[in-house]
Amino acid sequence: MSLLRLSPTMDFESPEGCRAFDYYRSQSAPVLSNIMDSEFWGGLVMRLSITEPVVRHAVLAMSSLHEHLSTRQGPTNTIGPSFIYAEYGKSISALRNWKAEDGPTIPLLACVLYTCLEFLLDNEQAARIHIMEGRKLLGSLSDDHSPAVEMVKRDLVPMYTRLGLAAFLYGGHPPTVPDHLRPSIAPPVKFESIAEARTLLYHLLDEALRFSTTVRPKLYTGELDAVAIHNLVSMQKELLSRLNHWHAIFVVLTSGMKMTQANICTQNLLLIYYNTATIWVSASLRQDEVAFDEHITGFGTIVSLASAIITGAQRGPPLHSFSFETELIAPIYWTATKCRHPLLRRAAVKLLMKDELKNRRENLWHSNEAIAIALRAIEVEEEHIDRSKVVDEDVTMESSPESHSTPHSEASSRDSTRSDWYVPLHQPPTLSLDQVEEERQLEELLDFNTVSGSIMGAGVSHGGSGLAKVLDVRPDVALLQSPYGIPEVSRLKNIIIGARDTTGVSVTIFREPQHVEGQWDVRKEFIPFL
């Protein structure tokens, strides 16, 4: 509480600065802290903002932006963008004057704050750069037990490990956290707290994502011989063993705890990521999407745990509209796109559509975007299933494709045989980060309000209301056994999320060769929001 009494006496340069700090203290810090990080956002950041200009100016910019975005829907007297960018610039200028001998804490914290600013600005490339730079700085720290390094290990390494998840999921490959900053390699006998369990799980997630993203290109190039494959299988088994050990001692911990609503929420979220990581690693040495059909139980557990979190939010503290962390949206979206069980994947989408999630943002993840893409993925993959058998006839009459179709637009899609779209089968079904950024810049030059065409399927893109009909499937006639009526050739191998505007989002979709042999079928499409 002493920090709260200090703010009126701080030397702010303007009334806007005082207002911004008060907003951070009363609004931004509690939102960013969520359940488990109050000591970071409400403690460490608050303390250092009092003494360090780098931190203070970043906090003022961040809180002003948070207020601006939170209240822009109605009349407001919030601080304008000029103050936000001025404070952001002052923080960067102060950081440039930072001396290496002054220690790594402030630069590392600044990268976290700048990442949060770019999350709020929805700037994927800049956010990823700040995460990468922070992880590089971690890699440069010496292996000593100085107070500065111990503080970094305690307060900032867990944050950067979780930020690595955001970087990986958006196509980045963040540098490894050095061994001397990580938890002990030897598996623990027990956990002392949920916080300790959380830290270790996210280090395991970091390893799992690094393993799969490193191995994935090699699966397609044909460079793996029998010895290399044997070694990869051993690494895969070791990762799965460590995940299972984590799960066992986590269950031991939580079974003996007095569980508050906050603890139950955190427990369920960690179990969501345990199941996600287990499925991810288990399928990482397979090229075929049918591999995911072996993990229906895991997908069902993810849906059940996410539903429990949402139910808890209905009874207790609500979910905030913005989260700095990657929490529910990404694993639910991943379940909807990788689980082909027709009822489970639709249950996942319906979770995203609940009031508690439908307008939520989690760093770079937008729920309305995830809903639209997941529904379109289901629609494309199931397009050859006899709709007269799986869709309620009354719904079909009310939501016929003709009533929601829009004219084809050449501006919205590009021929998959053009040179910059040529992705041979000996390469993974994806684009490089440079290609993704180039496409994003191109898309932002288009007027998305006039874009609605597609070269997917029959060449017609449905409006957002048309996508909603995908949710309606009769359980008594749905195909509930693998491959669920979706052969490998019909399954989407990858979906790259592109530029968005207020009406929809652009995506790049990869499938097995449809018309031209020897290369992935690569399509671009603009998907309207519901």
Short mmCIF file of all heavy atoms in Angstrom, two decimals, residues 37-95:
data_model
loop_
_atom_site.label_atom_id
_atom_site.label_comp_id
_atom_site.label_asym_id
_atom_site.label_seq_id
_atom_site.Cartn_x
_atom_site.Cartn_y
_atom_site.Cartn_z
N ASP A 37 0.06 -12.70 -11.34
CA ASP A 37 1.21 -11.83 -11.59
C ASP A 37 1.10 -10.46 -10.93
O ASP A 37 1.65 -9.47 -11.42
CB ASP A 37 1.41 -11.65 -13.10
CG ASP A 37 1.75 -12.97 -13.78
OD1 ASP A 37 2.64 -13.67 -13.27
OD2 ASP A 37 1.10 -13.30 -14.79
N SER A 38 0.40 -10.38 -9.81
CA SER A 38 0.24 -9.08 -9.15
C SER A 38 1.58 -8.54 -8.65
O SER A 38 1.81 -7.33 -8.65
CB SER A 38 -0.75 -9.20 -7.99
OG SER A 38 -0.30 -10.14 -7.04
N GLU A 39 2.48 -9.42 -8.24
CA GLU A 39 3.77 -8.96 -7.74
C GLU A 39 4.60 -8.37 -8.86
O GLU A 39 5.39 -7.45 -8.64
CB GLU A 39 4.52 -10.11 -7.06
CG GLU A 39 5.95 -9.77 -6.64
CD GLU A 39 6.06 -8.50 -5.79
OE1 GLU A 39 5.11 -8.21 -5.02
OE2 GLU A 39 7.08 -7.79 -5.91
N PHE A 40 4.43 -8.85 -10.08
CA PHE A 40 5.19 -8.30 -11.20
C PHE A 40 4.64 -6.93 -11.60
O PHE A 40 5.34 -5.93 -11.55
CB PHE A 40 5.16 -9.26 -12.39
CG PHE A 40 5.97 -8.78 -13.57
CD1 PHE A 40 7.32 -9.04 -13.64
CD2 PHE A 40 5.38 -8.04 -14.59
CE1 PHE A 40 8.08 -8.59 -14.71
CE2 PHE A 40 6.12 -7.59 -15.67
CZ PHE A 40 7.48 -7.85 -15.73
N TRP A 41 3.36 -6.89 -12.01
CA TRP A 41 2.79 -5.65 -12.55
C TRP A 41 2.47 -4.64 -11.46
O TRP A 41 2.63 -3.44 -11.66
CB TRP A 41 1.53 -5.97 -13.36
CG TRP A 41 1.81 -6.78 -14.58
CD1 TRP A 41 1.58 -8.11 -14.75
CD2 TRP A 41 2.41 -6.32 -15.80
NE1 TRP A 41 1.99 -8.51 -16.01
CE2 TRP A 41 2.50 -7.43 -16.67
CE3 TRP A 41 2.87 -5.08 -16.25
CZ2 TRP A 41 3.03 -7.33 -17.95
CZ3 TRP A 41 3.39 -4.97 -17.52
CH2 TRP A 41 3.47 -6.09 -18.36
N GLY A 42 1.99 -5.12 -10.31
CA GLY A 42 1.64 -4.21 -9.23
C GLY A 42 2.76 -4.00 -8.23
O GLY A 42 2.68 -3.11 -7.39
N GLY A 43 3.82 -4.80 -8.33
CA GLY A 43 4.94 -4.68 -7.42
C GLY A 43 6.19 -4.18 -8.10
O GLY A 43 6.55 -3.01 -8.01
N LEU A 44 6.88 -5.06 -8.84
CA LEU A 44 8.14 -4.71 -9.47
C LEU A 44 8.01 -3.51 -10.41
O LEU A 44 8.79 -2.55 -10.33
CB LEU A 44 8.68 -5.93 -10.24
CG LEU A 44 9.99 -5.71 -11.00
CD1 LEU A 44 11.14 -5.50 -10.02
CD2 LEU A 44 10.28 -6.89 -11.93
N VAL A 45 7.03 -3.55 -11.31
CA VAL A 45 6.88 -2.46 -12.27
C VAL A 45 6.56 -1.15 -11.56
O VAL A 45 7.11 -0.09 -11.89
CB VAL A 45 5.79 -2.80 -13.31
CG1 VAL A 45 5.51 -1.60 -14.21
CG2 VAL A 45 6.20 -4.00 -14.15
N MET A 46 5.70 -1.19 -10.56
CA MET A 46 5.34 0.02 -9.81
C MET A 46 6.57 0.59 -9.10
O MET A 46 6.82 1.81 -9.15
CB MET A 46 4.25 -0.31 -8.79
CG MET A 46 2.89 -0.57 -9.38
SD MET A 46 1.99 0.94 -9.77
CE MET A 46 1.50 1.46 -8.14
N ARG A 47 7.33 -0.28 -8.44
CA ARG A 47 8.50 0.20 -7.70
C ARG A 47 9.52 0.86 -8.62
O ARG A 47 10.03 1.95 -8.34
CB ARG A 47 9.16 -0.97 -6.95
CG ARG A 47 8.37 -1.48 -5.77
CD ARG A 47 9.23 -2.40 -4.89
NE ARG A 47 9.66 -3.60 -5.60
CZ ARG A 47 8.95 -4.71 -5.69
NH1 ARG A 47 7.76 -4.78 -5.13
NH2 ARG A 47 9.43 -5.76 -6.33
N LEU A 48 9.81 0.20 -9.74
CA LEU A 48 10.84 0.73 -10.64
C LEU A 48 10.35 1.93 -11.43
O LEU A 48 11.15 2.76 -11.87
CB LEU A 48 11.32 -0.38 -11.58
CG LEU A 48 12.11 -1.50 -10.89
CD1 LEU A 48 12.51 -2.58 -11.88
CD2 LEU A 48 13.35 -0.94 -10.20
N SER A 49 9.04 2.06 -11.60
CA SER A 49 8.53 3.26 -12.30
C SER A 49 8.75 4.51 -11.48
O SER A 49 8.79 5.62 -12.02
CB SER A 49 7.04 3.08 -12.62
OG SER A 49 6.27 3.07 -11.44
N ILE A 50 8.88 4.36 -10.18
CA ILE A 50 9.11 5.51 -9.30
C ILE A 50 10.54 6.04 -9.45
O ILE A 50 10.78 7.25 -9.41
CB ILE A 50 8.83 5.13 -7.83
CG1 ILE A 50 7.34 4.82 -7.66
CG2 ILE A 50 9.25 6.24 -6.87
CD1 ILE A 50 6.98 4.22 -6.32
N THR A 51 11.49 5.12 -9.66
CA THR A 51 12.91 5.51 -9.65
C THR A 51 13.56 5.53 -11.03
O THR A 51 14.58 6.20 -11.22
CB THR A 51 13.71 4.56 -8.76
OG1 THR A 51 13.57 3.21 -9.27
CG2 THR A 51 13.20 4.60 -7.33
N GLU A 52 12.99 4.81 -12.02
CA GLU A 52 13.65 4.65 -13.31
C GLU A 52 12.83 5.31 -14.43
O GLU A 52 11.71 4.87 -14.74
CB GLU A 52 13.85 3.16 -13.64
CG GLU A 52 14.69 2.42 -12.61
CD GLU A 52 16.13 2.92 -12.58
OE1 GLU A 52 16.55 3.57 -13.56
OE2 GLU A 52 16.83 2.65 -11.59
N PRO A 53 13.38 6.35 -15.08
CA PRO A 53 12.64 7.02 -16.17
C PRO A 53 12.27 6.07 -17.31
O PRO A 53 11.20 6.23 -17.91
CB PRO A 53 13.63 8.10 -16.65
CG PRO A 53 14.50 8.37 -15.46
CD PRO A 53 14.64 7.06 -14.76
N VAL A 54 13.13 5.11 -17.62
CA VAL A 54 12.83 4.16 -18.69
C VAL A 54 11.50 3.47 -18.42
O VAL A 54 10.62 3.36 -19.30
CB VAL A 54 13.94 3.10 -18.83
CG1 VAL A 54 13.54 2.03 -19.85
CG2 VAL A 54 15.25 3.74 -19.22
N VAL A 55 11.36 3.01 -17.19
CA VAL A 55 10.14 2.28 -16.81
C VAL A 55 8.96 3.23 -16.68
O VAL A 55 7.86 2.94 -17.15
CB VAL A 55 10.38 1.52 -15.49
CG1 VAL A 55 9.11 0.78 -15.06
CG2 VAL A 55 11.53 0.55 -15.63
N ARG A 56 9.18 4.37 -16.04
CA ARG A 56 8.07 5.29 -15.79
C ARG A 56 7.43 5.76 -17.09
O ARG A 56 6.20 5.73 -17.24
CB ARG A 56 8.55 6.50 -14.98
CG ARG A 56 7.42 7.51 -14.71
CD ARG A 56 7.78 8.49 -13.61
NE ARG A 56 8.93 9.32 -13.93
CZ ARG A 56 10.14 9.17 -13.37
NH1 ARG A 56 10.36 8.20 -12.49
NH2 ARG A 56 11.15 9.96 -13.71
N HIS A 57 8.23 6.19 -18.06
CA HIS A 57 7.66 6.68 -19.31
C HIS A 57 6.95 5.56 -20.07
O HIS A 57 5.90 5.78 -20.70
CB HIS A 57 8.76 7.30 -20.19
CG HIS A 57 9.29 8.60 -19.65
ND1 HIS A 57 8.48 9.70 -19.46
CD2 HIS A 57 10.54 8.97 -19.27
CE1 HIS A 57 9.21 10.70 -18.98
NE2 HIS A 57 10.47 10.28 -18.85
N ALA A 58 7.49 4.34 -20.02
CA ALA A 58 6.83 3.21 -20.68
C ALA A 58 5.49 2.90 -20.02
O ALA A 58 4.50 2.61 -20.70
CB ALA A 58 7.74 1.98 -20.65
N VAL A 59 5.46 2.96 -18.69
CA VAL A 59 4.22 2.72 -17.96
C VAL A 59 3.17 3.77 -18.30
O VAL A 59 2.00 3.46 -18.51
CB VAL A 59 4.49 2.68 -16.44
CG1 VAL A 59 3.19 2.82 -15.64
CG2 VAL A 59 5.19 1.38 -16.06
N LEU A 60 3.58 5.04 -18.36
CA LEU A 60 2.62 6.10 -18.70
C LEU A 60 2.07 5.93 -20.10
O LEU A 60 0.87 6.12 -20.34
CB LEU A 60 3.30 7.47 -18.56
CG LEU A 60 3.80 7.85 -17.16
CD1 LEU A 60 4.39 9.26 -17.17
CD2 LEU A 60 2.70 7.72 -16.12
N ALA A 61 2.94 5.55 -21.05
CA ALA A 61 2.48 5.30 -22.42
C ALA A 61 1.51 4.12 -22.45
O ALA A 61 0.44 4.19 -23.09
CB ALA A 61 3.67 5.03 -23.34
N MET A 62 1.87 3.06 -21.75
CA MET A 62 1.06 1.84 -21.77
C MET A 62 -0.30 2.05 -21.13
O MET A 62 -1.34 1.65 -21.67
CB MET A 62 1.82 0.73 -21.05
CG MET A 62 1.18 -0.64 -21.08
SD MET A 62 2.29 -1.87 -20.39
CE MET A 62 2.43 -1.27 -18.70
N SER A 63 -0.32 2.70 -19.98
CA SER A 63 -1.60 2.90 -19.29
C SER A 63 -2.49 3.86 -20.06
O SER A 63 -3.72 3.67 -20.12
CB SER A 63 -1.37 3.41 -17.87
OG SER A 63 -0.72 4.66 -17.86
N SER A 64 -1.90 4.89 -20.66
CA SER A 64 -2.70 5.83 -21.47
C SER A 64 -3.30 5.13 -22.67
O SER A 64 -4.47 5.35 -23.03
CB SER A 64 -1.82 6.99 -21.93
OG SER A 64 -1.32 7.72 -20.83
N LEU A 65 -2.51 4.26 -23.31
CA LEU A 65 -3.03 3.50 -24.45
C LEU A 65 -4.12 2.55 -24.00
O LEU A 65 -5.15 2.40 -24.68
CB LEU A 65 -1.88 2.74 -25.12
CG LEU A 65 -2.27 1.85 -26.32
CD1 LEU A 65 -2.94 2.68 -27.41
CD2 LEU A 65 -1.04 1.14 -26.86
N HIS A 66 -3.91 1.91 -22.86
CA HIS A 66 -4.92 0.99 -22.34
C HIS A 66 -6.24 1.72 -22.08
O HIS A 66 -7.32 1.24 -22.46
CB HIS A 66 -4.41 0.34 -21.05
CG HIS A 66 -5.33 -0.66 -20.46
ND1 HIS A 66 -5.45 -0.87 -19.11
CD2 HIS A 66 -6.23 -1.50 -21.04
CE1 HIS A 66 -6.35 -1.80 -18.88
NE2 HIS A 66 -6.84 -2.21 -20.03
N GLU A 67 -6.15 2.90 -21.48
CA GLU A 67 -7.37 3.67 -21.22
C GLU A 67 -8.02 4.10 -22.52
O GLU A 67 -9.25 4.03 -22.68
CB GLU A 67 -7.05 4.89 -20.36
CG GLU A 67 -8.29 5.72 -20.02
CD GLU A 67 -7.99 6.98 -19.26
OE1 GLU A 67 -6.81 7.40 -19.22
OE2 GLU A 67 -8.93 7.57 -18.70
N HIS A 68 -7.20 4.55 -23.46
CA HIS A 68 -7.72 5.01 -24.75
C HIS A 68 -8.49 3.89 -25.45
O HIS A 68 -9.60 4.10 -25.97
CB HIS A 68 -6.57 5.49 -25.62
CG HIS A 68 -6.97 5.96 -26.99
ND1 HIS A 68 -7.63 7.15 -27.21
CD2 HIS A 68 -6.82 5.38 -28.21
CE1 HIS A 68 -7.86 7.30 -28.50
NE2 HIS A 68 -7.38 6.24 -29.13
N LEU A 69 -7.91 2.68 -25.47
CA LEU A 69 -8.56 1.56 -26.15
C LEU A 69 -9.77 1.06 -25.38
O LEU A 69 -10.74 0.59 -25.99
CB LEU A 69 -7.55 0.42 -26.32
CG LEU A 69 -6.37 0.70 -27.24
CD1 LEU A 69 -5.39 -0.47 -27.23
CD2 LEU A 69 -6.83 0.99 -28.66
N SER A 70 -9.73 1.16 -24.07
CA SER A 70 -10.83 0.64 -23.25
C SER A 70 -12.07 1.51 -23.32
O SER A 70 -13.18 1.03 -23.09
CB SER A 70 -10.39 0.51 -21.78
OG SER A 70 -9.31 -0.39 -21.66
N THR A 71 -11.90 2.80 -23.63
CA THR A 71 -13.03 3.73 -23.56
C THR A 71 -13.36 4.37 -24.90
O THR A 71 -14.18 5.27 -24.96
CB THR A 71 -12.74 4.85 -22.54
OG1 THR A 71 -11.53 5.52 -22.91
CG2 THR A 71 -12.58 4.27 -21.15
N ARG A 72 -12.74 3.90 -25.98
CA ARG A 72 -12.91 4.59 -27.26
C ARG A 72 -14.29 4.37 -27.88
O ARG A 72 -14.66 5.04 -28.84
CB ARG A 72 -11.85 4.16 -28.25
CG ARG A 72 -11.92 2.69 -28.66
CD ARG A 72 -10.80 2.32 -29.62
NE ARG A 72 -10.81 0.92 -29.95
CZ ARG A 72 -9.94 0.35 -30.76
NH1 ARG A 72 -8.99 1.08 -31.33
NH2 ARG A 72 -10.00 -0.94 -31.01
N GLN A 73 -15.07 3.42 -27.33
CA GLN A 73 -16.38 3.14 -27.92
C GLN A 73 -17.39 4.25 -27.61
O GLN A 73 -18.39 4.39 -28.30
CB GLN A 73 -16.91 1.80 -27.39
CG GLN A 73 -16.04 0.61 -27.75
CD GLN A 73 -15.88 0.44 -29.25
OE1 GLN A 73 -16.84 0.64 -30.00
NE2 GLN A 73 -14.70 0.06 -29.69
N GLY A 74 -17.15 5.02 -26.56
CA GLY A 74 -18.11 6.04 -26.18
C GLY A 74 -17.44 7.39 -25.99
O GLY A 74 -16.23 7.53 -26.17
N PRO A 75 -18.20 8.42 -25.64
CA PRO A 75 -17.60 9.73 -25.40
C PRO A 75 -16.62 9.67 -24.23
O PRO A 75 -16.88 9.05 -23.21
CB PRO A 75 -18.81 10.61 -25.06
CG PRO A 75 -19.88 9.66 -24.64
CD PRO A 75 -19.65 8.40 -25.41
N THR A 76 -15.48 10.28 -24.40
CA THR A 76 -14.44 10.18 -23.37
C THR A 76 -13.51 11.39 -23.46
O THR A 76 -13.40 12.04 -24.50
CB THR A 76 -13.63 8.89 -23.54
OG1 THR A 76 -12.60 8.86 -22.57
CG2 THR A 76 -13.00 8.81 -24.92
N ASN A 77 -12.85 11.65 -22.36
CA ASN A 77 -11.83 12.70 -22.34
C ASN A 77 -10.46 12.08 -22.08
O ASN A 77 -9.63 12.64 -21.38
CB ASN A 77 -12.16 13.74 -21.26
CG ASN A 77 -12.21 13.12 -19.86
OD1 ASN A 77 -12.29 11.90 -19.73
ND2 ASN A 77 -12.18 13.97 -18.85
N THR A 78 -10.23 10.89 -22.63
CA THR A 78 -8.96 10.21 -22.41
C THR A 78 -7.82 10.94 -23.09
O THR A 78 -8.02 11.75 -24.00
CB THR A 78 -9.01 8.77 -22.96
OG1 THR A 78 -9.28 8.82 -24.36
CG2 THR A 78 -10.08 7.95 -22.27
N ILE A 79 -6.61 10.60 -22.64
CA ILE A 79 -5.40 11.19 -23.20
C ILE A 79 -5.23 10.72 -24.64
O ILE A 79 -5.44 9.56 -24.95
CB ILE A 79 -4.18 10.78 -22.36
CG1 ILE A 79 -4.35 11.31 -20.92
CG2 ILE A 79 -2.89 11.28 -22.96
CD1 ILE A 79 -3.35 10.75 -19.94
N GLY A 80 -4.84 11.62 -25.52
CA GLY A 80 -4.74 11.30 -26.94
C GLY A 80 -3.45 10.60 -27.32
O GLY A 80 -2.52 10.47 -26.51
N PRO A 81 -3.37 10.15 -28.57
CA PRO A 81 -2.21 9.42 -29.06
C PRO A 81 -0.90 10.20 -28.96
O PRO A 81 0.16 9.60 -28.81
CB PRO A 81 -2.57 9.13 -30.52
CG PRO A 81 -4.07 9.15 -30.55
CD PRO A 81 -4.46 10.19 -29.56
N SER A 82 -0.95 11.52 -29.07
CA SER A 82 0.30 12.29 -29.04
C SER A 82 1.03 12.09 -27.72
O SER A 82 2.26 11.94 -27.70
CB SER A 82 0.00 13.78 -29.26
OG SER A 82 -0.88 14.27 -28.27
N PHE A 83 0.31 12.08 -26.61
CA PHE A 83 0.94 11.84 -25.30
C PHE A 83 1.49 10.42 -25.23
O PHE A 83 2.60 10.20 -24.72
CB PHE A 83 -0.08 12.06 -24.19
CG PHE A 83 0.45 11.76 -22.81
CD1 PHE A 83 1.19 12.69 -22.12
CD2 PHE A 83 0.24 10.51 -22.22
CE1 PHE A 83 1.70 12.41 -20.84
CE2 PHE A 83 0.73 10.21 -20.96
CZ PHE A 83 1.47 11.17 -20.28
N ILE A 84 0.73 9.46 -25.75
CA ILE A 84 1.15 8.05 -25.70
C ILE A 84 2.48 7.88 -26.42
O ILE A 84 3.43 7.31 -25.87
CB ILE A 84 0.07 7.15 -26.33
CG1 ILE A 84 -1.23 7.22 -25.52
CG2 ILE A 84 0.56 5.70 -26.46
CD1 ILE A 84 -2.43 6.62 -26.20
N TYR A 85 2.56 8.36 -27.65
CA TYR A 85 3.78 8.17 -28.43
C TYR A 85 4.94 9.01 -27.90
O TYR A 85 6.10 8.61 -28.00
CB TYR A 85 3.51 8.46 -29.90
CG TYR A 85 2.70 7.39 -30.56
CD1 TYR A 85 1.38 7.60 -30.94
CD2 TYR A 85 3.25 6.12 -30.80
CE1 TYR A 85 0.62 6.60 -31.53
CE2 TYR A 85 2.50 5.11 -31.39
CZ TYR A 85 1.19 5.37 -31.75
OH TYR A 85 0.45 4.36 -32.34
N ALA A 86 4.62 10.17 -27.32
CA ALA A 86 5.68 10.99 -26.73
C ALA A 86 6.32 10.26 -25.55
O ALA A 86 7.55 10.23 -25.41
CB ALA A 86 5.11 12.34 -26.28
N GLU A 87 5.50 9.66 -24.69
CA GLU A 87 6.03 8.92 -23.54
C GLU A 87 6.79 7.68 -24.00
O GLU A 87 7.83 7.33 -23.42
CB GLU A 87 4.89 8.53 -22.59
CG GLU A 87 4.25 9.69 -21.87
CD GLU A 87 5.25 10.43 -20.98
OE1 GLU A 87 5.99 9.77 -20.24
OE2 GLU A 87 5.30 11.67 -21.06
N TYR A 88 6.29 7.01 -25.01
CA TYR A 88 6.97 5.84 -25.57
C TYR A 88 8.36 6.25 -26.06
O TYR A 88 9.38 5.60 -25.77
CB TYR A 88 6.14 5.27 -26.72
CG TYR A 88 6.45 3.85 -27.14
CD1 TYR A 88 5.63 3.21 -28.07
CD2 TYR A 88 7.54 3.14 -26.64
CE1 TYR A 88 5.89 1.91 -28.48
CE2 TYR A 88 7.80 1.84 -27.05
CZ TYR A 88 6.97 1.23 -27.97
OH TYR A 88 7.22 -0.06 -28.38
N GLY A 89 8.41 7.38 -26.76
CA GLY A 89 9.69 7.88 -27.27
C GLY A 89 10.65 8.27 -26.16
O GLY A 89 11.86 8.03 -26.25
N LYS A 90 10.13 8.88 -25.09
CA LYS A 90 10.99 9.27 -23.96
C LYS A 90 11.59 8.03 -23.29
O LYS A 90 12.75 8.05 -22.86
CB LYS A 90 10.19 10.07 -22.94
CG LYS A 90 9.81 11.47 -23.41
CD LYS A 90 8.91 12.16 -22.38
CE LYS A 90 8.46 13.54 -22.88
NZ LYS A 90 7.53 14.19 -21.92
N SER A 91 10.81 6.98 -23.19
CA SER A 91 11.33 5.75 -22.59
C SER A 91 12.45 5.16 -23.44
O SER A 91 13.50 4.76 -22.91
CB SER A 91 10.19 4.72 -22.43
OG SER A 91 10.68 3.52 -21.91
N ILE A 92 12.25 5.12 -24.74
CA ILE A 92 13.29 4.58 -25.63
C ILE A 92 14.54 5.44 -25.57
O ILE A 92 15.67 4.91 -25.55
CB ILE A 92 12.74 4.49 -27.08
CG1 ILE A 92 11.62 3.43 -27.15
CG2 ILE A 92 13.86 4.16 -28.06
CD1 ILE A 92 10.91 3.38 -28.48
N SER A 93 14.38 6.76 -25.52
CA SER A 93 15.54 7.66 -25.43
C SER A 93 16.31 7.42 -24.14
O SER A 93 17.55 7.39 -24.13
CB SER A 93 15.09 9.12 -25.49
OG SER A 93 14.51 9.41 -26.74
N ALA A 94 15.58 7.24 -23.04
CA ALA A 94 16.25 6.97 -21.76
C ALA A 94 16.97 5.62 -21.79
O ALA A 94 18.06 5.47 -21.23
CB ALA A 94 15.22 7.00 -20.63
N LEU A 95 16.38 4.65 -22.48
CA LEU A 95 17.01 3.33 -22.57
C LEU A 95 18.31 3.39 -23.37
O LEU A 95 19.27 2.68 -23.05
CB LEU A 95 16.04 2.34 -23.19
CG LEU A 95 16.51 0.88 -23.29
CD1 LEU A 95 16.81 0.32 -21.91
CD2 LEU A 95 15.47 0.03 -24.01
#
